Amino acid sequence: MMHAASLCLVLSLPVSTSGALTQAPAQPEAPREIVYLTEWPKPASKDTLMTDIERLVKARTEEMGTLAHEALLKCGDSAVPFLLDRYGKEKDEGAHDRMHALLVELIKPEHSRLLAKRFASPNLNERTMTMWRAGLNNDPQIRAQAEAAFAKVEKQGEKADEFERYAAALVTTASGSMKGLSVLMDTAGKRWDKYGKEIHLALRGVRGAEATAIVSKGLAEADRKPKVAALRLLSGCGDKSAVPGIKPLLDSDDNSIRVAAINALRGIIDGADPLPELSSFEAIEMAKKWKERL
């Protein structure tokens, strides 16, 4: 169920590498204080809201779908629980996609504790949506619900839905638990291009010595993929204890390892986001500068 809509993310990574090592890292803005909702606000008119949801689901024309989308967007927070209910049950693919896009716009960090109450929904689509979106915010107060949801997915073994397993690992990690790191490690090795940005966001919830020790074990692997995956995770969760193990990898002949090592150091030392792409020449030059810094 890892579908294309999951590319809708809340942050984008920098694309320029010029001056990355010569300038002091920009100081991050102070995060805004999140006031978490304890209950969903009531809609001004439930009947109107439900009618608009029906219009969005049926959407016989593109204009009908657009008008319903805009009307529900104006409802804000009050529309979310009703949309989630219908989203979880809806079978029509087009209607599902339209609700998916709207929910991505409507769900905010302050909803995470209300979303957590739906992690145990009997409907797969509702579970995965709530876990996935809550996983983009680091709220330690939902850790118990996240770990419980992750445990249920793990019990299913190979029968578990692939995206549900990922979403459960994402929100578990974002809430401060180490239990989902192995799943994120696997995802980082296979689909960093698609999920790297949101994994990096979630890893802020576990940054520190414990996560570093767990993830750094991958640096000793002989194969390239687990080594690169470990470096990718360290860019989000690592601390300076990982630096001695990363430094030798700056001299790797494998550019994917070299780039991942550079990005790991950027995250650990400068608190910077990973760079999306570097040519072999760019990576060699940046690796030289990093070795001088270290």
Side-chain angles (χ1 to χ4, degrees), residues 37 39-44 49 52-53 68-84 102-108 110-111 114:
L37 298 186
E39 60 182 14
W40 296 110
K42 296 185 183 300
L49 188 150
D52 285 330
I53 290 177
H69 181 106
E70 292 175 351
L72 290 164
L73 198 58
K74 290 179 181 178
C75 293
D77 298 345
S78 66
V80 175
F82 299 98
L83 279 165
L84 284 171
L102 179 56
L103 283 165
V104 166
E105 288 191 70
L106 284 172
I107 293 175
K108 302 294 188 294
E110 50 265 34
H111 299 158
L114 295 173

Side-chain angles (χ1 to χ4, degrees), residues 145-276:
Q145 295 102 312
E147 288 185 334
F150 182 75
K152 286 183 179 179
V153 175
E154 288 295 275
K155 285 182 180 179
Q156 296 178 46
E158 294 183 359
K159 295 180 180 180
D161 179 84
E162 186 180 3
F163 189 69
E164 182 180 14
R165 177 183 285 111
Y166 165 71
L170 191 76
V171 71
T172 300
T173 303
S175 66
S177 172
M178 308 294 158
K179 295 182 182 296
L181 282 175
S182 62
V183 173
L184 295 190
M185 182 89 77
D186 184 61
T187 306
K190 296 176 179 177
R191 296 307 311 272
W192 186 253
D193 58 332
K194 187 173 184 179
Y195 298 106
K197 294 176 183 178
E198 53 195 52
I199 289 174
H200 196 263
L201 289 174
L203 288 168
R204 297 181 305 187
V206 294
R207 183 183 286 277
E210 185 178 359
T212 300
I214 293 170
V215 174
S216 292
K217 293 176 183 178
L219 299 181
E221 295 286 342
D223 292 341
R224 178 184 65 84
K225 285 187 177 180
K227 197 185 298 287
V228 169
L231 288 166
R232 287 169 173 170
L233 261 64
L234 286 171
S235 71
C237 71
D239 65 11
K240 291 185 178 180
S241 65
V243 172
I246 297 171
K247 184 177 179 181
L249 300 179
L250 293 170
D251 293 319
S252 175
D253 292 331
D254 187 316
N255 196 52
S256 63
I257 293 176
R258 187 189 298 117
V259 170
I262 290 168
N263 280 330
L265 292 170
R266 281 170 54 83
I268 292 169
I269 295 177
D270 291 343
D273 291 331
L275 296 166

